[in-house]
Amino acid sequence: MRKPMMAGNWKMNMTVAEALDLARQINQLVGDTTVVEQLLCPPSVCLHPLKATTTGMPFALGAQNCHWQDSGAFTGEISPPMLRGLADYVIIGHSERRQLFGETDETVNKKTRAALANQLIPVVCVGESLEQNERGETTAIITAQVQAALEGLSADQVQSLVIAYEPIWAIGTGRAATAQTAGEICGLVRSILHDMHGAPVAAATRILYGGSTKPDNIGAIMEQPDIDGALIGGASLEAGSYAEMVKITAEPYSG
Ligand code: PGA
């Protein structure tokens, strides 16, 4: 069974002090839900302080990016071995990285392999732009991105990672995909996994939806059979809304 996940992508927000405060608030509001995996992805400088302070709190921690080399002359970059022990997960290929920092399907694949080699679980992001969507290219784009990101990985590696479908037109716009569309594209991602690695891998791999998720729409999104959780931007910066989303997701599993 795939454990549902609510992953907060804090992006370039939160000082260390603010991050610690937010984590404490979330912990108080959510209580001890264990049926939903809570993943917090703060800026990298907050990982160590959060790791030290959130012991005993039910969070996994994730980085928002990593390089694919272990070390070297790459000013400003952070390597997978550096994250090991501080983070459990690492977001790879977020559309902001692809659009603003020149990441390609090739670098996404290199980073995914490097993360796995260092016991970090990749959260691999894929998604089409508004123009691609309007031209009817969504299926082709998502297929190409998923295949390229996972190229060369073993079946075991694929089922250990997480894929996030995040249509670019839905990120930070307040215009989420409908639950039905989100469910269909996450179903497409699952069928690509099936074609690449067979039914057991497709059934085991967690697939998230991301893009303007909030307490109002998370219930309908989580009803989609192929959606296992959300990668949450804006709504994860507010303890109340993130906690609410965890609770709504936990409801069908409790009691
Ligand atoms: P959003 O961001 O929830 O603010 O739309 C999602 C993301 O970029 O991961």
Side-chain angles (χ1 to χ4, degrees):
M1 197 170 118
R2 303 185 299 262
K3 187 171 188 174
M5 166 181 269
M6 287 291 115
N9 174 10
W10 294 359
K11 308 193 180 185
M12 198 176 74
N13 297 291
M14 299 287 142
T15 61
V16 170
E18 289 165 347
L20 295 178
D21 198 42
L22 180 56
R24 279 192 206 104
Q25 284 183 47
I26 292 171
N27 185 50
Q28 273 173 4
L29 290 172
V30 176
D32 54 5
T33 308
T34 53
V35 290
V36 175
E37 183 168 8
Q38 298 175 63
L39 169 61
L40 307 182
C41 302
S44 291
V45 291
C46 300
L47 283 170
H48 187 267
L50 273 174
K51 177 87 186 165
T53 319
T54 58
T55 317
M57 296 186 194
F59 307 128
L61 293 175
Q64 298 174 11
N65 179 34
C66 66
H67 198 271
W68 59 87
Q69 299 273 13
D70 283 358
S71 63
F74 303 103
T75 301
E77 291 291 317
I78 295 178
S79 77
M82 295 172 189
L83 293 172
R84 219 162 133 171
L86 293 182
D88 312 287
Y89 290 82
V90 55
I91 298 173
I92 292 177
H94 188 279
S95 64
E96 285 151 18
R97 302 283 329 161
R98 293 181 190 250
Q99 291 194 303
L100 305 173
F101 301 97
E103 294 205 10
T104 63
D105 285 344
E106 192 192 344
T107 60
V108 170
N109 178 251
K110 285 183 181 178
K111 291 177 177 204
T112 302
R113 290 172 187 237
L116 287 164
N118 286 281
Q119 288 81 51
L120 296 163
I121 303 172
V123 179
V124 178
C125 301
V126 297
E128 84 285 4
S129 69
L130 183 60
E131 297 73 37
Q132 289 165 335
N133 183 283
E134 285 172 346
R135 287 198 298 261
E137 295 170 1
T138 303
T139 299
I141 295 288
I142 300 305
T143 304
Q145 288 183 352
V146 171
Q147 286 176 344
L150 306 184
E151 197 189 309
L153 302 189
S154 69
D156 279 353
Q157 287 178 317
V158 170
Q159 67 184 15
S160 75
L161 54 70
V162 178
I163 299 179
Y165 167 58
E166 297 207 304
I168 297 170
W169 46 269
I171 295 176
T173 58
R175 188 188 150 199
T178 62
Q180 191 193 341
T181 301
E184 278 169 14
I185 306 299
C186 290
L188 166 70
V189 172
R190 207 173 292 290
S191 74
I192 299 165
L193 298 178
H194 186 284
D195 291 347
M196 291 178 86
H197 289 288
V201 172
T205 309
R206 285 189 292 181
I207 302 173
L208 314 181
Y209 164 77
S212 296
T213 54
K214 42 187 193 290
D216 287 356
N217 58 21
I218 195 65
I221 287 167
M222 288 305 297
E223 276 174 19
Q224 296 293 317
D226 281 313
I227 300 184
D228 304 312
L231 184 53
I232 311 160
S236 74
L237 293 171
E238 213 269 302
S241 55
Y242 177 80
E244 178 91 32
M245 292 168 82
V246 174
K247 285 183 181 169
I248 291 168
T249 302
E251 246 161 48
Y253 300 87
S254 331

